[in-house]
Amino acid sequence: MPDTPSKPSLRLSQFLPYRLSVLSNTVSRNIADLYDREFGISIWQWRVMAVLGENSGITATEIGQVTAMDKVAVSRAVSGLLDSGHIARRASKEDARRAILTLTAKGKEVYDQIVPIALSAERDLVESLSPDEQAQLAALMEKLARAAEPDRPLWQSASP
């Protein structure tokens, strides 16, 4: 009987995209629980607020580009934040079809309260690595980001 090539098997526990996704979801969920419990904000809403805290006056499309969130997730997050009064929307002066989003005073207040919590959670996580490991991780993440998306940096600020 001739040898038949075996079909490749997928072991999720060793499949890098799966492992990265699970790690990302786990890290995000741990801190998202704090946002939700303390402020009633979902992780998706926080991502929108975080982008607006750094890049005020941009569109939902630009938020999606910066965060790699899909349009539906951005739309739902924006809708919830508009309803709760955390963000405001206005028509662009240059193009009335474009909706510009900004944090409201209420949104800025919540943003200012969440930032130290987020930075503390990041610090706790990063402190599990030595300084050399932190540098290696940063370099490896950059390398993987360039391989995954060679035409643009993944970690960029939006430009209003």
Side-chain angles (χ1 to χ4, degrees):
M1 212 187 296
D3 283 343
T4 57
S6 64
K7 291 194 298 190
S9 66
L10 180 65
R11 288 202 164 114
L12 286 178
S13 65
Q14 296 171 0
F15 186 58
L16 182 63
Y18 173 79
R19 294 173 71 195
L20 290 172
S21 177
V22 170
L23 178 60
S24 173
N25 289 340
T26 301
V27 169
S28 293
R29 186 181 58 247
N30 287 342
I31 195 162
D33 288 346
L34 291 170
Y35 308 153
D36 185 32
R37 200 170 44 247
E38 296 292 321
F39 305 99
I41 292 173
S42 73
I43 187 63
W44 310 112
Q45 291 171 329
W46 167 244
R47 286 181 185 166
V48 168
M49 290 180 68
V51 171
L52 291 175
E54 192 174 304
N55 308 279
S56 187
I58 63 172
T59 67
T61 299
E62 291 167 319
I63 291 170
Q65 292 167 347
V66 171
T67 61
M69 288 168 57
D70 66 62
K71 290 179 182 182
V72 173
V74 173
S75 178
R76 286 184 182 151
V78 165
S79 179
L81 291 167
L82 286 166
D83 290 347
S84 66
H86 290 97
I87 66 172
R89 175 175 42 206
R90 65 173 169 75
S92 167
K93 291 177 183 169
E94 296 80 34
D95 181 352
R97 296 170 296 180
R98 293 182 67 220
I100 303 299
L101 302 171
T102 56
L103 291 174
T104 61
K106 178 181 179 181
K108 286 177 187 169
E109 182 180 321
V110 170
Y111 174 86
D112 289 342
Q113 291 178 52
I114 291 178
V115 166
I117 295 168
L119 292 174
S120 176
E122 177 197 36
R123 195 170 32 258
D124 291 346
L125 187 63
V126 170
E127 284 177 351
S128 69
L129 303 173
S130 71
D132 284 346
E133 289 170 330
Q134 291 174 34
Q136 289 172 347
L137 177 61
L140 291 170
M141 287 176 62
E142 285 296 330
K143 192 172 188 176
L144 288 172
R146 282 191 306 276
E149 190 71 50
D151 297 332
R152 72 176 182 93
L154 290 185
W155 299 288
Q156 64 182 355
S157 292
S159 19

Coordinates of all heavy atoms in Angstrom, one line a residue, residues 18-28:
Y18 N -4.3 31.7 17.5 CA -5.2 31.3 18.6 C -4.7 31.7 20.0 O -5.4 32.3 20.8 CB -5.5 29.8 18.6 CG -6.2 29.3 19.7 CD1 -7.6 29.4 19.8 CD2 -5.6 28.6 20.8 CE1 -8.4 28.9 20.8 CE2 -6.3 28.1 21.9 CZ -7.7 28.3 21.9 OH -8.4 27.8 23.0
R19 N -3.4 31.5 20.2 CA -2.8 31.8 21.5 C -2.8 33.3 21.8 O -3.1 33.7 22.9 CB -1.4 31.2 21.6 CG -1.4 29.7 21.6 CD 0.0 29.1 21.4 NE 0.7 29.3 22.7 CZ 2.0 29.2 22.9 NH1 2.8 28.9 21.9 NH2 2.6 29.4 24.0
L20 N -2.4 34.0 20.7 CA -2.4 35.5 20.9 C -3.8 36.0 21.1 O -4.0 36.9 22.0 CB -1.9 36.2 19.6 CG -0.4 36.0 19.3 CD1 0.0 36.6 18.0 CD2 0.4 36.7 20.4
S21 N -4.8 35.5 20.5 CA -6.2 35.9 20.7 C -6.7 35.6 22.1 O -7.3 36.4 22.7 CB -7.1 35.2 19.6 OG -8.5 35.5 19.8
V22 N -6.4 34.4 22.5 CA -6.8 34.0 23.9 C -6.1 34.9 24.9 O -6.8 35.3 25.9 CB -6.6 32.5 24.2 CG1 -6.8 32.1 25.6 CG2 -7.5 31.6 23.3
L23 N -4.9 35.1 24.8 CA -4.1 35.9 25.7 C -4.7 37.4 25.7 O -5.0 37.9 26.8 CB -2.6 36.0 25.4 CG -1.8 36.9 26.2 CD1 -1.8 36.4 27.7 CD2 -0.3 36.8 25.7
S24 N -4.9 37.9 24.5 CA -5.4 39.3 24.4 C -6.8 39.3 25.1 O -7.1 40.3 25.8 CB -5.5 39.7 22.9 OG -6.2 40.9 22.8
N25 N -7.7 38.4 24.8 CA -9.0 38.4 25.3 C -9.0 38.3 26.9 O -9.8 38.9 27.6 CB -9.9 37.3 24.7 CG -10.2 37.5 23.3 OD1 -10.2 38.7 22.8 ND2 -10.6 36.5 22.6
T26 N -8.1 37.4 27.4 CA -8.0 37.2 28.8 C -7.5 38.5 29.5 O -8.1 38.9 30.5 CB -7.0 36.1 29.1 OG1 -7.5 34.9 28.5 CG2 -6.9 35.8 30.6
V27 N -6.4 39.1 29.0 CA -5.9 40.4 29.5 C -7.0 41.4 29.5 O -7.3 42.1 30.5 CB -4.6 40.8 28.8 CG1 -4.2 42.2 29.2 CG2 -3.5 39.8 29.1
S28 N -7.6 41.6 28.3 CA -8.7 42.6 28.2 C -9.8 42.4 29.1 O -10.4 43.3 29.7 CB -9.2 42.7 26.7 OG -8.1 43.1 25.9

